[in-house]
Amino acid sequence: MKYIDFEDKNIIVVGGTNGIGLCLVQRLIELKANIIVLGRNIDKPELKKLKDHCQFFKCDISNSNDIDNTFDHIKNEYKVLHFAVNNAGITAPYSNISELDIIQWKKIIDTNLTGTAHCLKREIQLISQSKGGAIVNISSCAGLQALRMQAAYSVSKAAINMLTQVAAIECAVDHDNVHAIRVNAVAPGPILGGMNNEENLRKNPERTERKLSITAMKKFGTADEVANSVLWLLSQQSSYTTGVILPIDGGFNSGKFN
Ligand SMILES: NC(=O)c1ccc[n+]([C@@H]2O[C@H](COP(=O)([O-])OP(=O)(O)OC[C@H]3O[C@@H](n4cnc5c(N)ncnc54)[C@H](OP(=O)(O)O)[C@@H]3O)[C@@H](O)[C@H]2O)c1
């Protein structure tokens, strides 16, 4: 058995147009998977060179009609899926709960939680037609420990952790020609690129310093380091692992050290 074998497997990456998701798509291209990428901004010039290797669908996961139409299309074209990664996520400007912007709250919950739950529903239906399927949700260290001024984001990611575990126990066994699916999540700490792109970090030096200080290793992680763990959780190398929320956070979740 190859260490990690995705050759000719159908895999969907929801939110694969930027940052961590895009890095994962690039790694999957090297592994010769059939990659289906969902996102709102699929016509960015930097994605052009990837279009020979993956199929892009314009889909806003905060819109349930968009999700259903896109998955109907995918079902007609691919019939089955083998793997899925739910990476799409957004943050909001920092604010205390006493000043919570309810419109922002709804936007984050609609995207990070409801959108992901809806995609997960459609993915489970398609992946249960194949054997050895697996799903990874991208959570956050903010879903494991409370962080000030990020209530909506933290709540959405904590709910993703629970959604992951409910899905894991529901999908853990084969029955009536419906195959088992392993469902896990990763909970990254501060990762360079994407939401933490150089411009954002430079604009907010204090926040950047705080993000560094909450990790035991005192450094940012990379999208490749997240992708390594996602690929492992999808692969047969983790065949007895389901319902796990795996921190990839330079020790943030290990204890108090500052
Ligand atoms: N970077 C970090 O430090 C960090 C830490 C912990 C957790 N995370 C999580 O990791 C994931 C990726 O973060 P990132 O830093 O790589 O962010 P990013 O660069 O902003 O990428 C977010 C991805 O989500 C997609 N997306 C956002 N809203 C969407 C919507 N309504 N419909 C469809 N796709 C949508 C974006 O695609 P379009 O713009 O094309 O729609 C993009 O591909 C997120 O779930 C985030 O919460 C990141």
Side-chain angles (χ1 to χ4, degrees), residues 43-164:
D43 296 319
K44 296 192 294 190
E46 59 266 40
L47 299 178
K48 210 170 170 189
K49 61 180 184 298
L50 304 182
K51 290 193 172 162
D52 289 342
H53 306 284
C54 18
Q55 189 171 13
F56 285 82
F57 286 92
K58 192 177 177 68
C59 176
D60 178 347
I61 69 156
S62 66
N63 178 323
S64 61
N65 289 333
D66 237 19
I67 296 179
D68 276 330
N69 291 337
T70 305
F71 274 86
D72 287 350
H73 218 89
I74 292 168
K75 186 179 174 189
N76 283 338
E77 199 166 330
Y78 289 84
K79 312 293 179 226
V80 294
L81 283 178
H82 301 97
F83 303 108
V85 178
N86 292 305
N87 174 71
I90 53 170
T91 50
Y94 284 15
S95 84
N96 289 318
I97 296 173
S98 59
E99 283 151 12
L100 196 63
D101 177 337
I102 294 299
I103 306 232
Q104 285 286 357
W105 168 279
K106 284 192 172 139
K107 202 171 155 201
I108 289 192
I109 299 296
D110 283 352
T111 304
N112 296 8
L113 177 56
T114 313
T116 299
H118 192 163
C119 291
L120 187 62
K121 167 188 167 178
R122 298 297 304 255
E123 290 157 3
I124 288 171
Q125 291 168 354
L126 288 174
I127 297 176
S128 61
Q129 307 301 309
S130 67
K131 280 200 161 194
I135 298 174
V136 174
N137 296 325
I138 310 298
S139 178
S140 168
C141 62
L144 290 169
Q145 281 191 41
L147 296 178
R148 284 182 295 129
M149 295 192 285
Q150 296 180 58
Y153 182 73
S154 304
V155 166
S156 73
K157 293 299 188 176
I160 287 293
N161 296 344
M162 184 52 73
L163 181 71
T164 300

Side-chain angles (χ1 to χ4, degrees), residues 17-18 20 40-41 60-61 87 153 157 189 191 194-196:
T17 54
N18 205 57
I20 294 168
R40 295 161 303 176
N41 299 298
D60 178 347
I61 69 156
N87 174 71
Y153 182 73
K157 293 299 188 176
I191 304 298
M195 293 172 174
N196 286 316

